[in-house]
Amino acid sequence: MSTARKDPMAQNWIRSGQLSWRVRVALVSLLLIATATVWVTNRLLTDRFTESTRNRAELRLALYSGNLLSELRRNAIVPQLLSRDPTLIAALQSSDFSQSTQRLISFVEEIGAASLMLLDRDGRTVAATDRNRLGEQHRSAAYFVDPVRSNSTVFSTIQREAGGYSFTYSRRLEDSSGVLGVIVVEVDLQKFERAWSGISDAVYVTNSAGTIILATEPRWRGMNQAEALRHQTPENAIERAIRVTADWTALPADAYLRGEAVMRMDSRIPFRGWQMTSFTTYASIRERVNGVLALEIMGFAILLALSFYALSRRTAFRMALFQRESAELRALNARLQREIAERERVQKTLEVAEQTLAQSSKLAALGEMSAAVSHELNQPLAAMKTYLAGARLLLRRNRSEEALSSFGRIDDLIERMGAITRQLKSYARKGQEALSPINMGDALAASLSMMEPQLRQRQVQITQILPDRPVLVMGDRMRIEQVMVNLLRNALDATKSVRDPEVEIILAAGETATLTVRDNGHGISDFDNIFEPFYTTKQPGDGVGLGLAISSGIVNDLGGRLTARNGQHGGAVFEMQLPILEDGLEAAE
């Protein structure tokens, strides 16, 4: 009898031991799976978000360097123009400078330079936009000595006593008797420092010697790169521990600034060996990655809690059968409370994740808008450069009236650039701009005038087939001309490698107003992505792939469509179709 009673007890102990062993294995497996999942998710998301943040930082750095180079090149021509000013030359010859200062002040408002100075042959300031500098001696300054020795425009970087640097272009004024004086133009580059400090974390520009001459951190100016990175606030042990804990999702970091991990971007500026460097923090990456990891960890925590709950329920059932009903009620109450708490935590986590995604979308939109502005302003800037070169030649030949005509065209291009920026800013509020009847023939003529500098540089046969009657559409002339310029520019680029380049332009009026641009290039190979943003077949530096994407959006907004196909005899054919107007009403009505 005793043996029969012990056997069931032994079997229960064996079953209990087997169950305990299986539970331990299951818990250890769950912990290993949770650790591996969190590690893999962190690695993949960190790499993906880091790459997207790096791409936006590279795009922003390219925009900064382009703006800086544009400002330097814009002011480089000013000394050469002023050195031929007959009024300034006459003032130096007669030593009568009563009207020279006022003349320089009138010039500086049009040029946009920081300041202008006129020095006589002894290096004394005889006229300046800042009247406090009249009478100063600059005989030993580089911007006086170098242009006197050289018959060209000299660029100088001068370190100020109060900190920072000043950047000047200077050129000597002379007549048949010799050197009369020097004109000095100071370029305002500090405005870029103020603009950079409001967007990026840290940016600096170094010269060919590696010295920092522009920086969002004022204390970096005058240092080299290694000194600037070492120049940071000392950290104690607690701060270093917090930094390591916060940066575990972004290792290895490119550098550390103020104790925080950052990624470093370098870009070469094609001007006297200058280089631009920016530092972007990993803050947005940490927030996005940690939001996803929090959800995963919460899910595994719920599974682990449920596992322990099941074990506790099984143990309680075996140990106290007589308290089963009360134990089930207490467990149910506890489970409901945990589920409510978990749902509240999940809701808070989701709110944080939504805010992070919204911020990331804003940054992505800002990057695309910056790229669009850079792309659309490239054409007017190229035309302005050509007209400036022509005006310089005309001034050398004393053909001032024709030079004034070139300056008038430059003023029109500036108005066009302003209209393009206003149009790009209006994309967020489509449908609010008033439309008016537009003559497609006049818009095409204006677009060809805009493309005149490119057409002069190449031998391209342009064929136009236009109707006798005006073709009217309802739209925005600036945006329609923008589409035409993009189509013409793409056609010219497509015929660069063709021996006899030809571009055919056909304007027809039927049920719709149709503008067809055909070239004899190599045609289109990828129709699926041709209207996608940032897709381009051009060489790096020739385009960013936004022209057709922006053009397609403009045509769609005006109720038309933009299509592309290959011609029967080769080349690409682009057609812009817009609703036509007849007697002031749309034909569709």
Side-chain angles (χ1 to χ4, degrees), residues 50-64:
T50 300
E51 184 65 21
S52 63
T53 303
R54 189 179 297 273
N55 291 337
R56 288 194 298 270
E58 290 177 350
L59 186 62
R60 187 166 55 244
L61 188 62
L63 179 62
Y64 291 169

Side-chain angles (χ1 to χ4, degrees), residues 267-282:
S267 175
R268 187 181 65 85
I269 302 175
F271 181 81
R272 296 180 174 270
W274 286 16
Q275 185 173 359
M276 178 178 290
T277 303
S278 69
F279 298 96
T280 305
T281 64
Y282 291 91

